[in-house]
């Protein structure tokens, strides 16, 4: 009845009224109450009163609709219907989902094919191709790109025996695609194999609605200041815990070496850690963990952004802190080798900043400003238990005089192949500048 009353007695100029079946949505332009028995011209005060009442009612309904549309339409489909089909037997066939880094160097793509039997190793996965969209055109006129499988995982979405496969991308002429940095990274890791370099990666991310608004934030304002959200508990502090926990389980099922997860300092910001992994494995694992994160968020209808500064102002950014340890660093007296590595990193600070985000340092300029537990991008620093330094030596490492160091400079959206290659090259190879670029 209320909606019918609106249809008869309210005109919207530059606005639309949607029926309750699709959810209320009133966009504001100019509102005019029609002449009727409810508000004749001679009763101007009544006209005004009804006008204001309707505006307030519309405003509340509009806020409700804004909150509802912060999740994707796909997430609102009937999942019970989907579950019926997902339970159907597939015989001896196996679904294999190929995953690769696209031409932006930041986003991931995937497509699925059927194999006649479950693959036992990566050698059982055939190569494949894909067509390059015009907007992500690689060098050359041929748009066919080749997918070369490099590592395989269990599929937590379609379940056993189905697989996820991370692939390298090659061009028609047999050369690596411009965003295929795995090739050069592996070359460096093979060169320094004797050092048994270990990595751990701390991946921060922030949840957003599909409307571009931070997940769980007030529509017309900001949440409480930072402080209670870090490792927080409670509906007003842990925004999006379901996503973090489902991602954790998906990683464990897939075979990802996930170390842990926690809520971060910004409301709706989270972190997961990957490692310890040796050499090239850390980057392979992180890219697949990112894929799993985006797929979990897809099911929930929200977006996980790796933007290094997702919200402007007095809020934390998102980093990709990288923990590093070599065989000598882990042995007795290893602190001296940590200090030697830090000194080598100091000399190449700005060179590293160019590869620690996908835009040559432009993204990190917004994050590394000397506040919010970051160092200045233009100055190198190191310290014990200092989260505002470029390189942090954990207090326990300083006490035991062996262990690892943390490079806090990489951005959340960095390519881990480039980051680990740069660190390994600087710390363990000669001083050839070209080795880290």
């Amino acid at each position: 009845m209320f909606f019918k009353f609106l249809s008869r007695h309210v005109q919207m100029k530059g606005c639309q009224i949607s029926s309750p079946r699709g959810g209320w949505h009133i966009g504001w332009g100019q509102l005019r109450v029609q002449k009727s028995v409810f508000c004749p011209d001679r009763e101007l005060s009544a006209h005004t009163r009804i006008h204001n009442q309707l505006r307030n009612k519309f405003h509340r309904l509009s806020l409700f609709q804004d909150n509802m549309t912060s999740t994707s339409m796909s997430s609102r489909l009937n999942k019970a219907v989907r579950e019926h089909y997902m339970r159907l037997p597939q015989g001896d066939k196996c679904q294999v989902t190929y995953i690769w880094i696209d031409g932006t160097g930041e986003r991931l793509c995937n497509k699925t094919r059927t194999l006649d039997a479950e693959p036992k190793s990566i050698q059982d996965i055939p190569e494949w191709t894909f067509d390059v969209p015009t907007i992500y055109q690689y060098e050359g006129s041929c748009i066919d790109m080749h997918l070369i499988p490099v590592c395989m995982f269990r599929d937590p979405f379609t379940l056993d025996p189905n697989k996820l496969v991370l692939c390298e991308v090659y061009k028609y002429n047999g050369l690596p695609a411009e965003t295929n940095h795995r090739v050069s990274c592996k070359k460096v890791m093979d060169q320094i194999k004797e050092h048994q370099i270990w990595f751990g990666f701390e991946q921060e991310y922030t949840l957003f609605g599909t409307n571009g608004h931070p997940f769980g934030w007030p529509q017309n304002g900001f949440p409480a200041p930072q402080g209670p959200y870090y490792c927080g508990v409670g509906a007003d502090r842990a925004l999006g815990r379901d996503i973090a926990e489902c991602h954790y389980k998906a990683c464990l099922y897939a075979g990802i070496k996930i170390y842990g997860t926690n809520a971060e300092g910004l409301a709706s910001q989270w972190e997961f850690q990957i490692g310890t992994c040796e050499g090239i494995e850390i980057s392979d694992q992180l890219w697949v963990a990112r894929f799993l994160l985006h797929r979990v968020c897809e099911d929930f209808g929200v977006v996980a952004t790796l933007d290094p500064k997702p919200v402007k102002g007095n809020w934390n950014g998102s980093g990709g802190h990288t923990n590093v340890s070599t065989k000598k660093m882990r042995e007795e007296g290893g602190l001296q080798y940590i200090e030697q590595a830090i000194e080598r990193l100091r000399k190449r600070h700005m060179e590293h900043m160019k590869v620690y985000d996908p835009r040559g340092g432009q993204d990190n300029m917004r994050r590394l400003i000397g506040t919010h537990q970051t160092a200045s991008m233009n100055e190198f620093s190191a310290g014990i238990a200092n989260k505002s330094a470029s390189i942090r030596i954990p207090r326990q490492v300083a006490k035991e005089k062996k262990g690892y160091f943390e490079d806090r400079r990489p951005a959340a959206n960095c390519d881990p192949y480039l980051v680990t290659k740069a660190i390994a090259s600087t710390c363990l190879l000669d001083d050839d500048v070209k080795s880290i670029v």
Side-chain angles (χ1 to χ4, degrees), residues 346 348-354 377-379 409:
R346 181 190 304 276
R348 286 182 159 181
H349 173 62
M350 293 312 297
E351 296 168 42
H352 278 251
M353 295 314 306
K354 292 179 181 179
M377 178 172 173
N378 298 316
E379 297 179 6
R409 296 172 295 172

Side-chain angles (χ1 to χ4, degrees), residues 16-228:
Q16 293 181 343
I17 304 177
S18 301
S19 69
R21 183 181 299 275
W24 291 101
H25 180 70
I26 298 95
W28 281 106
Q30 297 178 8
L31 178 148
R32 177 166 57 87
V33 180
Q34 293 180 333
K35 297 179 182 179
S36 71
V37 295
F38 296 102
C39 49
D41 286 341
R42 64 179 180 275
E43 297 182 13
L44 182 60
S45 60
H47 181 136
T48 303
R49 184 169 60 253
I50 292 175
H51 179 279
N52 292 336
Q53 289 174 350
L54 291 176
R55 285 189 66 93
N56 291 336
K57 177 74 73 173
F58 290 162
H59 181 65
R60 290 194 297 271
L61 291 171
S62 180
L63 290 179
F64 172 76
Q65 176 67 9
D66 284 342
N67 286 327
M68 292 297 293
T69 55
S70 65
T71 56
S72 70
M73 294 301 297
S74 295
S75 68
R76 303 182 212 175
L77 296 174
N78 191 326
K79 301 304 179 182
V81 174
R82 178 183 183 275
E83 187 62 22
H84 165 75
Y85 293 100
M86 297 303 292
R87 290 179 178 177
L88 295 176
Q90 60 186 61
D92 295 330
K93 304 294 184 181
C94 178
Q95 293 174 271
V96 177
T97 297
Y98 289 60
I99 304 166
W100 68 94
I101 303 167
D102 76 357
T104 68
E106 294 184 73
R107 291 192 284 270
L108 290 158
C109 299
N110 76 100
K111 64 177 184 175
T112 305
R113 70 183 296 176
T114 304
L115 299 185
D116 291 333
E118 179 182 358
K120 302 303 180 184
S121 69
I122 196 66
Q123 286 72 33
D124 297 330
I125 307 292
E127 297 179 10
W128 208 5
T129 61
F130 70 94
D131 295 335
V132 181
T134 304
I135 57 173
Y136 299 141
Q137 183 66 58
Y138 292 89
E139 181 183 354
S141 58
C142 181
I143 64 171
D144 282 341
M145 306 294 284
H146 297 267
L147 297 172
I148 311 299
V150 294
C151 53
M152 180 173 66
F153 300 85
R154 298 169 70 194
D155 188 339
F157 305 107
T158 59
L159 308 182
D160 290 336
N162 303 314
K163 307 296 181 185
L164 301 177
V165 177
L166 181 66
C167 301
E168 287 185 2
V169 179
Y170 282 80
K171 297 186 288 187
Y172 69 98
N173 55 10
L175 297 176
E178 288 76 12
T179 55
N180 178 4
H181 299 295
R182 188 181 189 276
V183 175
S184 60
C185 180
K186 189 174 187 306
K187 182 179 179 180
V188 169
M189 296 304 170
D190 289 343
Q191 286 181 265
I192 63 166
K193 194 172 182 62
E194 62 183 279
H195 294 281
Q196 298 176 29
I197 189 167
W198 292 356
F199 294 100
F201 199 93
E202 303 171 24
Q203 176 68 71
E204 294 179 332
Y205 62 94
T206 309
L207 300 175
F208 273 69
T210 54
N211 58 358
H213 194 75
F215 179 78
W217 284 36
Q219 285 299 123
N220 296 299
F222 297 90
Q226 290 187 169

Side-chain angles (χ1 to χ4, degrees), residues 152-156 164 248-257 285 288 292:
M152 180 173 66
F153 300 85
R154 298 169 70 194
D155 188 339
L164 301 177
Y248 200 148
K249 284 286 192 177
C251 285
L252 291 174
Y253 183 93
I256 295 294
K257 294 180 179 178
Q285 294 250 337
V288 176
L292 296 179

Side-chain angles (χ1 to χ4, degrees), residues 16 23 47 61 89 100 128 207 266 298 331 345 360 420 430 432:
Q16 293 181 343
H47 181 136
L61 291 171
W100 68 94
W128 208 5
L207 300 175
L266 175 70
E298 184 181 320
E331 294 173 345
L345 289 167
T420 56
D430 58 33
D432 179 11

